[in-house]
Amino acid sequence: DAGVIQSPRHEVTEMGQEVTLRCKPISGHNSLFWYRQTMMRGLELLIYFNNNVPIDDSGMPEDRFSAKMPNASFSTLKIQPSEPRDSAVYFCASSTARRNTGELFFGEGSRLTVL
Amino acid sequence: RKEVEQDPGPFNVPEGATVAFNCTYSNSASQSFFWYRQDCRKEPKLLMSVYSSGNEDGRFTAQLNRASQYISLLIRDSKLSDSATYLCVVNMRNSGYALNFGKGTSLLVTP
């Protein structure tokens, strides 16, 4: 079975450039989450969607970050312009909100380095 | 102050040892509790849920103390393959299904 698919797996870019991270959730899952992980702050929830609708974006650091979910099978997280402090691993996760079992299925992450 | 606090470790233990991790959470409205496991440079994966009465899954035992806002994970007969970071996770009813993760406790099991 296909899990959560994220792309790119690695990205190195220069400060000021636009970065777009992509996520395909598990088919049938109706909740999608974007997390960011750093050594200093651990895993932080950025935003989550339920049935393609953003429910809570209070974790989005600032206006440079935006996320969209145009349909049930695709989401993007965009950073524009990027800054060195945005360097982190960005994880996308999905779940079935019908059963709150606490099981989020994570993608392998997108490791972003901003120089 | 982060909502979920864990001792970062690392915990270095020999094979066969018993090791315990603790976690505290700050919001008394927290409703659901979990332990996740994260291997080096991999994604987190659910290890087990934590129930009020305590629960066991093989060598793993999880306990919850709501009065003290404290969660624990006990690993018996440690294996080399248990080496990983263990993340304490809580969910509040009013946060929908979003989970708040602790920064994790690192475990290294040595031969």
Side-chain angles (χ1 to χ4, degrees):
Chain A
D1 289 344
V4 175
I5 299 171
Q6 292 187 244
S7 64
R9 291 291 310 281
H10 302 272
E11 175 139 355
V12 180
T13 191
E14 292 189 344
M15 184 172 65
Q17 296 298 305
E18 178 178 295
V19 173
T20 299
L21 307 178
R22 297 173 178 81
C23 175
K24 176 178 168 54
I26 293 172
S27 178
H29 284 190
N30 57 348
S31 291
L32 182 140
F33 307 80
W34 282 101
Y35 282 87
R36 175 173 71 175
Q37 188 173 37
T38 61
M39 288 290 291
M40 288 293 294
R41 301 175 68 88
L43 263 170
E44 301 174 285
L45 177 66
L46 300 177
I47 185 171
Y48 82 94
F49 297 83
N50 200 34
N51 294 321
N52 312 339
V53 176
I55 302 299
D56 182 359
D57 65 354
S58 59
M60 295 286 261
E62 48 199 90
D63 291 346
R64 298 184 297 107
F65 285 69
S66 62
K68 293 181 180 179
M69 192 165 185
N71 57 62
S73 59
F74 184 66
S75 177
T76 59
L77 178 67
K78 187 173 292 188
I79 309 172
Q80 166 63 21
S82 58
E83 296 182 3
R85 61 190 166 128
D86 300 331
S87 298
V89 180
Y90 290 81
F91 286 104
C92 176
S94 69
S95 75
T96 53
R98 290 187 299 277
R99 304 184 298 137
N100 185 19
T101 63
E103 185 156 23
L104 298 188
F105 294 84
F106 284 81
E108 293 182 304
S110 293
R111 185 172 296 273
L112 173 65
T113 302
V114 183
L115 304 175
Chain B
R1 177 175 168 230
K2 203 161 165 57
E3 288 188 23
V4 182
E5 300 272 4
Q6 296 181 249
D7 180 345
F11 284 60
N12 293 336
V13 302
E15 264 186 298
T18 296
V19 61
F21 306 137
N22 303 319
C23 164
T24 57
Y25 59 95
S26 60
N27 194 321
S28 59
S30 298
Q31 293 288 320
S32 307
F33 309 89
F34 313 93
W35 285 100
Y36 271 65
R37 169 189 169 133
Q38 187 173 22
D39 292 314
C40 187
R41 300 182 76 85
K42 297 287 190 181
E43 71 275 21
K45 293 182 180 179
L46 179 66
L47 177 66
M48 61 193 300
S49 301
V50 185
Y51 301 120
S52 297
S53 54
N55 51 295
E56 190 173 302
D57 183 1
R59 298 181 292 107
F60 298 83
T61 300
Q63 298 275 356
L64 168 65
N65 184 323
R66 286 187 184 270
S68 302
Q69 296 179 201
Y70 171 96
I71 306 161
S72 66
L73 177 68
L74 183 79
I75 305 175
R76 291 182 301 278
D77 188 23
S78 300
K79 311 291 185 191
L80 297 177
S81 57
D82 293 334
S83 298
T85 296
Y86 291 84
L87 304 167
C88 178
V89 186
V90 306
N91 159 263
M92 294 185 296
R93 181 189 299 168
N94 62 1
S95 73
Y97 298 98
L99 301 181
N100 295 314
F101 286 77
K103 290 175 69 174
T105 299
S106 176
L107 171 66
L108 178 63
V109 181
T110 56

